[in-house]
Amino acid sequence: MCSSDLVDLEVEKGEIHAVIGPNGAGKSTFFNLLSGAFAPSSGEIHLNGERIDGLGPDKIQQRGLSRSFQVSNVFVNLSVFENLRCACFKSAHAGYVFWRAADGIQRVNQRAEHVLGMNGLQALRDAPAGALPYASQRALEIGMTIACEVDVVLLDEPTAGMSNSETSQAIELIRQVASGRTLMIVEHDMGVVFRSEERRVGKECRSRW
């Protein structure tokens, strides 16, 4: 990024967009602002024509935007399937009812099974998430990000710490995730950027960026 505090960016619906820059440039802060973790001190953020700056992460997710984080953020004591099922509740409008068994909510289970297959984690369905290899945990987190059926997905360094073969598998998963969605990705691996994105912020810095 050319400036840490002046961002003027419009991402078209269905676009795959990479955000690049050195450590400390503000890439994750930018994602935190977009996803509602931070409130901007000035300016406006719009999603599908609706202003969302100042809303919390849950409200923004309900409007169609979800994100992953640099550090794997899964429920380590739950199985892979249970993690995905937790992520599916809001999109299925099922809510959390403590006296009702989660495995009895058919539409939630169906969505979780669909995402499980999309991410290629069927063989690990019943494994505790905390016991998964690092790359599989990242794949699970990406699955949890899209399980709530959002239109806009933000992925923060999804291939960090992966081997070359794991990165290649992650790129294929990202491409699949991006199908029919708007995708923004923060990455330091330029090979990942060039293989997955359509437009690179940072290659040509404008006066307001």
Side-chain angles (χ1 to χ4, degrees), residues 7-157:
V7 176
D8 185 5
L9 173 67
E10 181 176 353
V11 178
E12 298 294 335
K13 185 175 182 179
E15 185 177 42
I16 303 173
H17 190 98
V19 181
I20 62 176
N23 289 331
K27 303 181 299 299
S28 293
T29 298
F30 181 45
F31 270 22
N32 284 333
L33 289 167
L34 294 178
S35 61
F38 296 165
S41 57
S42 62
E44 298 180 2
I45 302 172
H46 294 258
L47 176 64
N48 296 325
E50 180 182 3
R51 188 170 175 179
I52 61 170
D53 50 279
L55 297 180
D58 58 330
K59 298 296 184 183
I60 291 177
Q61 187 181 74
Q62 289 171 15
R63 286 161 173 76
L65 182 149
S66 186
R67 68 165 295 186
S68 70
F69 295 84
Q70 288 184 19
V71 179
S72 292
N73 190 24
V74 299
F75 300 108
V76 295
N77 293 321
L78 297 182
S79 71
V80 169
F81 180 76
E82 288 168 336
N83 269 270
L84 291 173
R85 186 166 59 188
C86 286
C88 291
F89 271 98
K90 277 198 173 182
S91 63
H93 305 293
Y96 291 97
V97 181
F98 293 103
W99 57 85
R100 178 174 56 180
D103 57 10
I105 306 174
Q106 192 64 24
R107 61 188 181 279
V108 170
N109 292 326
Q110 289 174 347
R111 175 62 182 168
E113 292 285 5
H114 173 74
V115 177
L116 187 73
M118 180 185 297
N119 281 34
L121 295 173
Q122 300 97 321
L124 298 171
R125 183 186 191 280
D126 298 318
L132 297 181
Y134 177 75
S136 296
Q137 281 197 11
R138 298 298 284 174
L140 173 58
E141 187 176 15
I142 292 174
M144 293 172 68
T145 303
I146 66 168
C148 47
E149 300 186 77
V150 293
D151 300 318
V152 181
V153 176
L154 311 181
L155 301 180
D156 196 348
E157 299 189 31

